[in-house]
Amino acid sequence: MTLLLTRSQITELLDPDTVMAGLRAGFLAPAPDVRPLRVRTDLPGPGTATALLPGVIDGIPAYTVKVNAKFPDAAPALRGLVCLHDLADGELLAVLDSATVTAWRTGLAAALATHVLADEHAGSVSVVGAGAQARMVLRGLVRLRTLSRLTVCDTDPARAAAFAVEHERLLGIPVETAAEPRHAAAQGDIVVLATWSRSPLLGASDLRPGMHVTTLGADEPGKVELAADAPQRARTVVDDLELAVAMGALGNSGLGADAAYATLGQVLHGERAGRERSDQITVYAPVGLPWQDLALAWPVYRAAAGAGFCPRVDFLA
């Protein structure tokens, strides 16, 4: 029998601390024997299709395959499914809403990396792009460090204002809006870019000593949030070097592998130092990896199996 897990059910069953622990373990785990695949293609029209497989983490007896449709002008812009399979015989254990899985695992992984790389005293945050990704980064970051102030910027001023009101209530800190990405970045020691931008939002001149920037939008060819001189000025950390060049922030800005200082796994392992001085500029530029879906799907599936209230279907009936 296969569990069917909708957005509301995933959200109810999800424990952010458990997921972040799983994400940390995944970054620390040995590289899998099978190279993860991130396959993307344009569709006849405005959308793209992406598949991520296989999501595997040493010690978890399951794997994930995710299929997403991305339509930037739709609401939500991302739709699809995450299939959770038994690693021993391929049994389909669960099907999960991919928009929810992607938003949470991306946001929580980014929160983990941001906390590791940002100055320990940094508490003022600016987000550019008032959507699900920024929301989840904040949900994770507030569990890791004390936040003192938030600035919000979005191409839609009404959405930025609504995001500001929501988070002033949720976080209990002052929240303001900014009209331009550069104005928002000037207010934050930590800057989170989470947009669909295809042109640079910030350049090297916008980066101040001590600032940390996490850029989440440059996760497929053509998407750019940082000008090429920004990663070159900073200590830039990626989740996967090959993908960062092939379809991430480095390659999309015309940069090669030498622009990356380290992977997050190397930093967490202590193989490469993260931030060493308070005046350093750091950048985290992930693409997103298949195993991150498993880090969320597996604990949610186990919680759902124990709860007994989620619908089940026999696809072989």
Side-chain angles (χ1 to χ4, degrees):
M1 298 294 286
T2 303
L3 291 178
L4 304 180
L5 295 167
T6 64
R7 172 178 297 183
S8 59
Q9 290 163 338
I10 294 170
T11 303
E12 181 177 348
L13 295 164
L14 184 148
D15 175 46
D17 292 327
T18 298
V19 174
M20 281 195 285
L23 289 165
R24 178 182 285 273
F27 280 114
L28 288 169
D33 294 332
V34 178
R35 174 70 187 170
L37 297 177
R38 184 183 176 97
V39 183
R40 174 197 169 277
T41 184
D42 292 319
L43 297 173
T48 63
T50 305
L52 278 72
L53 72 159
V56 291
I57 299 176
D58 189 41
I60 295 181
Y63 70 94
T64 53
V65 174
K66 180 166 72 176
V67 180
N68 277 337
K70 289 187 178 183
F71 286 74
D73 295 330
L78 186 149
R79 309 172 199 231
L81 298 172
V82 175
C83 296
L84 179 70
H85 294 264
D86 188 291
L87 191 58
D89 61 9
E91 178 187 357
L92 184 59
L93 302 174
V95 175
L96 302 88
D97 170 59
S98 73
T100 308
V101 171
T102 302
W104 274 101
R105 64 87 151 157
T106 302
L108 294 178
L112 172 64
T114 299
H115 178 65
V116 168
L117 295 172
D119 183 75
E120 61 179 338
H121 302 297
S124 59
V125 181
S126 296
V127 298
V128 179
Q133 301 270 290
R135 181 173 284 104
M136 298 314 165
V137 175
L138 290 171
R139 291 284 292 272
L141 200 56
V142 75
R143 305 176 86 91
L144 298 171
R145 63 172 58 212
T146 300
L147 304 185
S148 58
R149 188 176 74 247
L150 175 64
T151 303
V152 184
C153 176
D154 194 272
T155 53
D156 181 347
R159 185 162 67 167
F163 191 99
V165 170
E166 174 190 358
H167 284 81
E168 192 163 66
R169 174 179 55 81
L170 287 174
L171 304 179
I173 60 175
V175 183
E176 62 183 15
T177 60
E180 300 291 339
R182 287 183 170 86
H183 298 160
Q187 302 303 314
D189 296 324
I190 295 172
V191 179
V192 178
L193 306 175
T195 73
W196 292 87
S197 179
R198 292 185 171 271
S199 59
L201 303 175
L202 301 176
S205 62
D206 301 303
L207 307 185
R208 306 184 313 278
M211 176 187 284
H212 171 79
V213 179
T214 290
T215 172
L216 296 177
D219 61 348
E220 59 183 37
K223 295 175 69 179
V224 178
E225 292 180 321
L226 292 176
D229 58 357
Q232 293 176 307
R233 185 183 177 195
R235 175 167 286 192
T236 297
V237 175
V238 299
D239 56 355
D240 184 276
L241 186 57
E242 183 177 320
L243 289 176
V245 174
M247 60 181 62
L250 300 186
N252 294 355
S253 296
L255 301 174
D258 57 348
Y261 165 76
T263 65
L264 183 59
Q266 289 176 312
V267 172
L268 292 174
H269 266 294
E271 296 172 14
R272 304 297 300 271
R275 175 180 294 271
E276 296 179 285
R277 302 188 315 274
S278 60
D279 63 346
Q280 280 181 314
I281 300 170
T282 53
V283 167
Y284 180 56
V287 174
L289 305 174
W291 64 260
Q292 293 170 348
D293 298 319
L294 181 64
L296 187 143
W298 179 246
V300 167
Y301 163 72
R302 294 189 68 184
F309 62 80
C310 296
R312 301 165 186 258
V313 64
D314 184 358
F315 282 107
L316 300 178

